[in-house]
Amino acid sequence: MDFILYAVPFFFILIAVELLADRFRGMRNYRVADTVNSLSAGVLSTTFGLLTKGVGLVTYAVAVEHLAVFQLPAEAWWVWVLAFIAYDFCYYWLHRFGHERNILWAAHSVHHQSEDYNLSTALRQTSTGFLLSWIFYLPLAVLGVPLLVFVSVGALNLLYQFWVHTRHIPKLGWYEWLFVTPSNHRVHHAQNPLYLDRNYGGVFILWDRLFGTFQPEDDAEPVIFGVTTPLASWNPLWANLQFYAQLWSDARHAERWRDKLRIWFMPTGWRPDDVARRYPQAKQNLLDFRKFEVPLAWPRQLYVVLQFAVYVALGSYLMQAGARLPVAALLLGAGVMGFGLFVLGTALENRPWALRLELLRLALNLPAFALAGWSGLGPVTALGWVGLLAYSLLSLIGLYVSRFAPGDARGLEAPAQPQAATEQQQAAEHP
């Protein structure tokens, strides 16, 4: 059973509930652009995952067939309990190394880039984690955990982690000692020196207590969310590539071949001395922390949200039908999703060329729809063409309205500007 697919509607319902809680309590844990960016990263992750999940599944299946020391029965309840606990133990080490080694942080950093903390942050997942994450779960294959059990407990582990991404739930007493909670996971998403690189457990915080990586949330130290080298972008593609690009640039500029190779596997933040000297990096000043923001009039934000809803629908269709779609269809779907969400990111950033890209996106929807039938993505019917043309016309009208919105007269041509309130202020106002 695909637990994640069935949970998606509940994710959005709970996000809506949290938004109502924000309004009721006078808090502002959501911003339109940040939320769209987080959800876009999640949509990309699930879409590209349809093409890449075979890497982990195939390697696990081969390993459990040839390396298993035991043959554990999938129908035994104790196997599921053992697998659930063992999976979280493996996840702890994957998660910990994901913060402690450059190449793994390049994939995992996507999840930490948001400077807000809410339930949409939980859905902000990497599209490149498949490259190395499978290595950390091979011990389960050696133990003989069946593939079905492995996939199921992995999904349950991920589902558990959704609810801990909120600021509305305080500390939970004795529960804090054994399990991951919103309080100790807020610590994990902090960039404060006190909190940095702590609390790696997915379900059980016990691993952190055992291995010395636990840090409780301190009322005297309000959490500042985000990463020390900020993303400063609303683009989900760049979110996935930012740290890889930084590592590649440092490797290219390093003078010694040894440094060009080892930078990928060194502790997070390590840079060759000659590169650090010639190309210093500015870090966040937490005493004057300001969230990344690009001022946009509400019609533009509404336009992007409505367009994003179309991609959520397409992504849901791909998740539901992915198992029976041919590779060509998945490639087409991933291409449409990737380019479309990239374009919406440029609109949220007010890039000077965003209008031209948006017009190109709308134009490319026509050949993409025509290719849907050829690739096996879906039927191409006369009614479908009528719907696509109606959507395109409505989009052009919405684009015109948002382009000349009051308070945003330059529309898509206005430059991006950083502007934000501090997390310290919000924490003081809403303890």
Side-chain angles (χ1 to χ4, degrees):
M1 179 182 293
D2 191 341
F3 300 117
I4 303 299
L5 176 62
Y6 288 104
V8 168
F10 296 98
F11 289 160
F12 284 95
I13 291 172
L14 290 174
I15 287 173
V17 170
E18 188 178 43
L19 279 167
L20 292 175
D22 268 15
R23 175 175 286 272
F24 179 76
R25 301 183 66 185
M27 301 176 69
R28 187 171 180 254
N29 291 316
Y30 282 86
R31 292 176 295 154
V32 170
D34 179 85
T35 303
V36 170
N37 187 234
S38 290
L39 295 178
S40 294
V43 170
L44 280 182
S45 177
T46 55
T47 302
F48 292 154
L50 296 172
L51 289 164
T52 61
K53 67 179 180 180
V55 173
L57 293 178
V58 170
T59 53
Y60 187 90
V62 171
V64 79
E65 180 179 355
H66 297 285
L67 302 178
V69 177
F70 309 103
Q71 295 295 325
L72 301 180
E75 63 276 8
W77 66 267
W78 62 268
V79 172
W80 287 77
V81 174
L82 172 66
F84 185 79
I85 296 172
Y87 184 98
D88 197 63
F89 180 74
C90 294
Y91 174 85
Y92 169 86
W93 289 105
L94 166 63
H95 201 179
R96 181 168 175 173
F97 275 89
H99 283 253
E100 295 181 351
R101 285 295 180 267
N102 275 332
I103 186 64
L104 293 171
W105 175 244
H108 182 61
S109 61
V110 178
H111 184 61
H112 286 264
Q113 291 162 345
S114 175
E115 293 168 345
D116 294 325
Y117 191 75
N118 51 57
L119 292 177
S120 75
T121 310
L123 304 181
R124 186 186 184 96
Q125 298 293 326
T126 177
S127 295
T128 62
F130 73 94
L131 292 171
L132 295 172
S133 61
W134 57 272
I135 297 173
F136 290 83
Y137 296 110
L138 290 180
L140 297 180
V142 174
L143 284 176
V145 174
L147 179 62
L148 172 64
V149 178
F150 168 71
V151 172
S152 299
V153 298
L156 291 173
N157 187 283
L158 188 61
L159 285 175
Y160 178 91
Q161 295 182 48
F162 178 76
W163 77 282
V164 302
H165 292 82
T166 183
R167 300 184 67 183
H168 287 283
I169 298 177
K171 292 184 178 180
L172 299 176
W174 66 267
Y175 195 82
E176 301 277 339
W177 280 88
L178 296 176
F179 297 98
V180 173
T181 66
S183 176
N184 56 49
H185 200 65
R186 286 193 288 267
V187 166
H188 177 70
H189 275 258
Q191 56 176 306
N192 314 50
L194 173 64
Y195 299 140
L196 204 60
D197 298 334
R198 291 290 185 267
N199 300 357
Y200 297 114
V203 173
F204 302 104
I205 201 67
L206 184 62
W207 314 126
D208 292 282
R209 295 184 182 278
L210 288 174
F211 297 110
T213 54
F214 176 72
Q215 171 63 47
E217 188 176 19
D218 188 343
D219 293 337
E221 180 79 14
V223 173
I224 301 176
F225 300 105
V227 291
T228 57
T229 303
L231 176 64
S233 170
W234 299 132
N235 201 294
L237 291 183
W238 179 239
N240 277 278
L241 297 176
Q242 180 202 27
F243 200 71
Y244 288 108
Q246 178 186 316
L247 290 176
W248 175 258
S249 176
D250 284 355
R252 187 166 57 88
H253 289 111
E255 295 176 351
R256 292 176 295 184
W257 276 100
R258 180 169 178 264
D259 288 340
K260 291 178 183 292
L261 296 176
R262 68 174 181 152
I263 186 175
W264 301 89
F265 307 100
M266 291 296 286
T268 308
W270 182 89
R271 305 175 73 206
D273 291 337
D274 58 309
V275 175
R277 185 175 59 255
R278 288 182 292 146
Y279 304 97
Q281 289 180 343
K283 296 292 184 180
Q284 289 269 34
N285 179 4
L286 298 187
L287 297 177
D288 188 30
F289 174 74
R290 295 166 67 85
K291 294 179 182 178
F292 174 73
E293 189 67 274
V294 181
L296 286 179
W298 71 264
R300 174 78 61 74
Q301 297 184 51
L302 178 61
Y303 176 84
V304 172
V305 168
L306 292 176
Q307 294 292 345
F308 176 69
V310 174
Y311 287 97
V312 171
L314 176 58
S316 298
Y317 168 75
L318 290 172
M319 284 185 65
Q320 187 273 332
R324 63 177 184 270
L325 291 177
V327 174
L330 294 177
L331 287 171
L332 177 62
V336 169
M337 296 287 287
F339 180 70
L341 295 174
F342 168 80
V343 173
L344 295 185
T346 64
L348 289 173
E349 293 175 3
N350 253 351
R351 297 293 182 180
W353 27 269
L355 175 58
R356 293 189 291 274
L357 267 184
E358 175 62 6
L359 293 173
L360 177 62
R361 181 186 74 86
L362 294 175
L364 288 178
N365 283 337
L366 300 176
F369 184 69
L371 288 172
W374 167 82
S375 67
L377 183 60
V380 177
T381 64
L383 183 60
W385 279 111
V386 171
L388 179 60
L389 293 174
Y391 159 75
S392 301
L393 179 60
L394 290 173
S395 296
L396 290 172
I397 294 172
L399 186 59
Y400 177 83
V401 173
S402 65
R403 175 176 167 77
F404 296 103
D408 191 18
R410 294 186 63 196
L412 290 169
E413 303 301 323
Q417 302 175 22
Q419 179 183 0
T422 64
E423 278 289 347
Q424 296 99 320
Q425 290 171 336
Q426 185 177 9
E429 292 168 3
H430 307 285

